[in-house]
Amino acid sequence: MRDFDTIAAIATAIGEGGISIIRLSGTKALDVVSSIFKGKNNRPLNDIKPYTMRYGHIIDKKTGEVLDEVIVSYMKGPRSFTAEDCVEINCHGGVFSTNRILEEVIKNGARNADPGEFTKRAFLNGRIDLTQAEAVIDLINAKTDLSMKSALLQSEGRISKEINEIRHRLLGAIAHIEATVDFPEEDLEEITGNQVSESLRSIIKDIQGLLSTANEGKILREGLNMVIVGKPNVGKSSLMNSLLMEKRAIVTEVAGTTRDVIEEYININGIPVKIVDTAGIRETEDIVEKIGVEKSKEKINEADLIVFMLDLSRELHEEDREIIEYIRDKKHIILLNKVDLDKKLYIEDLQGINKENILTVSAKTGEGISELKDKIKDMFFSGEISATEVMITNSRHKEALYKAEERCKAALDTLDMGISIDLASIDVRAAWMNLGEITGETLEEDIIDKIFSEFCIGK
Ligand code: GDP
């Protein structure tokens, strides 16, 4: 274990809930808290048994003023989250008293933790690998049950297990090549070449298998960007409401560069769907009956899925056709709303559109809404989505897998062309390195810093 200073942070969401937790990690963790802790009958804290709790008060060391009533727990390294000595102070959840305790902790020898620093230490101390650390972020940010389960699998090290297994085979190939190079007889080289080729083919297949889960995985992790476009009054807000009715997922606040934006997620059959256009908010410049073609196109360009809504009780307009033309080559659903009213629009009016993408609904009565959900799911997920299989959810992992695949293919080409086999081993070695970036074994320091900066403080 490396030697680090002692860090501290508030680990719970501030201002919410009945208690807050201030977390410390490092060799001085217990000493720092002991120095500001007053137990019953003046019993000192530093004789606390590991994995137990102690009731008492945190005091301002200078004035002796009681800051809060607390319960302190002690986890001794390496059997703790960070693999270092960890102390947690459970206090009453108020913003003021929680901050005041943290301040006192800092005054007495700890330092404010950086975002993700606790998890980073767990990684640097070898308790978890990088994919597991990243799963901690995903768990915190999970938006549906399914995305949570998928992150949980990753946190258990399932991805690393698969990656390590492939790396092991690559290493076998490298060893095989090197052994042969030492005995440069012609036919031996050919036999080895064939064996390594075969093993590379199966490795490439496995990498491709993992990569094939990446699109679905990304959606589970980040949510599907869906926009609902259509003229005013076609029923966009009503659709939103009926989708939101069942299970409102999570509203997250994302700190933007210029201002805070609120993203809304709905849970459609386990898939977190991010509603990009909050249809309920009507822009003031909207002229009734106008779609605002340019504005719609802008939104469409950013979307994974476009739901274009038409009103069955009104005739098709030129602008509608223009939008239909525009979304033709993108993933889209044409939603014919208000099926409960008299028809003025017919499917025959929608020439050149794949009938499979047209659905008839009533946002008012709820007719067709469950078909819409199934359709959304089918468009992005092949078959049942299950959280029991390993999925690549992280774009960093995906990129590394692509690179490794490329290198394996290059090695295969070299072998197939009958060029000397030690040339192939350069690419095989590079592939082995690429995969090591996923688990963090062959990753550079600054990239590691970047990954952990995505975390929030206290994690
Ligand atoms: P938006 O401007 O596209 O967001 O449209 P709204 O959701 O505000 O709906 C406009 C009007 O159409 C409202 O009065 C809704 O009650 C009504 N509406 C929406 N969907 C339906 C539907 O399926 N059937 C009927 N009859 N009315 C609907």
Side-chain angles (χ1 to χ4, degrees):
M1 201 175 70
R2 305 193 193 185
D3 200 15
F4 293 114
D5 54 354
T6 298
I7 52 170
I10 299 167
T12 42
I14 197 96
E16 290 167 29
I19 60 161
S20 289
I21 297 174
I22 293 126
R23 187 188 235 178
L24 288 88
S25 177
T27 29
K28 284 199 296 179
L30 190 60
D31 288 342
V32 169
V33 180
S34 296
S35 74
I36 54 171
F37 179 87
K38 203 164 185 275
K40 255 192 175 165
N41 310 324
N42 286 328
R43 192 170 164 201
L45 182 67
N46 20 22
D47 68 359
I48 185 175
K49 272 205 229 115
Y51 316 105
T52 63
M53 291 182 153
R54 189 69 76 72
Y55 168 84
H57 291 91
I58 295 292
I59 52 160
D60 180 325
K61 202 157 96 181
K62 255 202 191 127
T63 63
E65 175 201 353
V66 169
L67 298 180
D68 204 352
E69 186 185 24
V70 299
I71 288 178
V72 172
S73 60
Y74 174 47
M75 280 72 58
K76 192 165 169 51
R79 283 177 54 213
S80 74
F81 178 64
T82 57
E84 303 172 340
D85 288 354
C86 284
V87 175
E88 287 181 1
I89 306 171
N90 292 248
C91 66
H92 293 131
V95 180
F96 181 76
S97 74
T98 311
N99 275 321
R100 190 66 188 76
I101 293 175
L102 178 63
E103 205 178 288
E104 198 60 26
V105 163
I106 301 299
K107 264 193 217 157
N108 287 284
R111 156 176 79 72
N112 275 309
D114 294 332
E117 202 172 0
F118 290 94
T119 317
K120 187 176 176 180
R121 287 197 175 182
F123 167 67
L124 293 175
N125 290 326
R127 204 185 70 75
I128 57 174
D129 71 31
L130 205 51
T131 67
Q132 291 173 298
E134 287 170 316
V136 174
I137 317 182
D138 291 351
L139 273 173
I140 294 166
N141 295 332
K143 286 158 192 97
T144 64
D145 206 30
L146 213 55
S147 41
M148 198 193 79
K149 279 185 189 144
S150 157
L152 206 58
L153 269 186
Q154 182 175 330
S155 78
E156 287 165 0
R158 286 279 297 271
I159 287 179
S160 323
K161 200 167 151 255
E162 306 246 340
I163 297 296
N164 286 334
E165 198 263 330
I166 298 176
R167 287 188 89 211
H168 186 74
R169 279 148 66 196
L170 287 170
L171 210 55
I174 297 168
H176 209 121
I177 292 173
E178 281 179 3
T180 310
V181 172
D182 289 342
F183 302 97
E185 291 124 46
E186 281 289 326
D187 44 343
L188 189 59
E189 186 155 310
E190 203 184 318
I191 295 166
T192 305
N194 288 339
Q195 285 170 343
V196 171
S197 290
E198 200 176 304
S199 129
L200 281 176
R201 266 184 259 277
S202 105
I203 287 170
I204 291 171
K205 216 172 125 239
D206 288 350
I207 292 178
Q208 285 169 340
L210 282 172
L211 278 170
S212 72
T213 67
N215 286 340
E216 299 182 349
K218 179 171 178 279
I219 292 170
L220 271 195
R221 177 178 184 238
E222 291 169 21
L224 180 79
N225 268 358
M226 174 169 113
V227 300
I228 306 172
V229 280
K231 279 198 288 264
N233 280 319
V234 291
K236 297 184 296 295
S237 329
S238 310
L239 175 69
M240 279 275 292
N241 288 340
S242 85
L243 288 174
L244 282 170
M245 213 155 60
E246 281 184 22
K247 246 187 221 160
R248 194 172 192 114
I250 294 171
V251 179
T252 45
E253 283 182 46
V254 178
T257 40
T258 48
R259 69 193 172 100
D260 288 352
V261 292
I262 294 199
E263 292 175 348
E264 187 140 25
Y265 288 87
I266 55 174
N267 179 348
I268 295 187
N269 299 343
I271 309 165
V273 175
K274 184 162 100 185
I275 303 288
V276 174
D277 182 12
T278 45
I281 303 165
R282 201 155 301 167
E283 289 110 11
T284 43
E285 67 265 29
D286 257 8
I287 309 156
V288 182
E289 291 299 307
K290 286 259 178 190
I291 292 182
V293 175
E294 286 316 310
K295 208 163 196 141
S296 298
K297 283 183 180 171
E298 254 172 55
K299 287 168 192 157
I300 287 168
N301 290 340
E302 294 165 9
D304 297 321
L305 171 66
I306 299 119
V307 173
F308 181 51
M309 207 176 206
L310 288 165
D311 182 342
L312 275 170
S313 69
R314 286 192 275 172
E315 283 166 20
L316 203 64
H317 277 83
E318 202 41 52
E319 282 199 327
D320 294 326
R321 288 187 207 281
E322 198 178 326
I323 296 282
I324 289 172
E325 204 47 50
Y326 194 70
I327 61 177
R328 192 192 289 272
D329 300 326
K330 306 174 196 292
K331 283 210 177 181
H332 65 268
I333 294 173
I334 308 239
L335 215 53
L336 306 178
N337 189 34
K338 309 199 188 180
V339 64
D340 53 311
L341 299 180
D342 285 342
K343 263 192 195 175
K344 290 237 177 87
L345 188 152
Y346 300 90
I347 292 194
E348 296 77 61
D349 298 340
L350 304 166
Q351 278 165 5
I353 278 284
N354 187 350
K355 296 274 180 298
E356 275 188 15
N357 291 342
I358 302 176
L359 285 179
T360 310
V361 298
S362 169
K364 196 172 186 174
T365 65
E367 186 181 338
I369 298 297
S370 74
E371 284 82 358
L372 171 64
K373 291 182 176 177
D374 289 343
K375 178 84 195 159
I376 293 173
K377 195 177 116 190
D378 292 346
M379 284 176 97
F380 291 89
F381 289 83
S382 47
E384 248 336 272
I385 342 164
S386 80
T388 56
E389 276 168 52
V390 171
M391 268 197 195
I392 297 299
T393 56
N394 188 305
S395 55
R396 196 183 68 78
H397 301 172
K398 183 175 159 189
E399 206 179 302
L401 279 162
Y402 266 128
K403 282 196 267 176
E405 184 195 6
E406 289 300 303
R407 290 299 201 142
C408 287
K409 281 182 177 164
L412 202 56
D413 284 347
T414 309
L415 291 171
D416 285 348
M417 286 188 292
I419 306 172
S420 91
I421 57 171
D422 52 338
L423 214 60
S425 91
I426 297 173
D427 282 316
V428 179
R429 206 178 283 272
W432 180 80
M433 292 281 284
N434 291 145
L435 293 184
E437 288 172 11
I438 296 178
T439 52
E441 264 160 82
T442 56
L443 202 60
E444 281 158 30
E445 195 93 10
D446 52 339
I447 302 181
I448 291 173
D449 288 342
K450 193 174 161 288
I451 290 168
F452 284 99
S453 66
E454 276 183 46
F455 279 72
C456 35
I457 289 177
K459 293 292 174 305

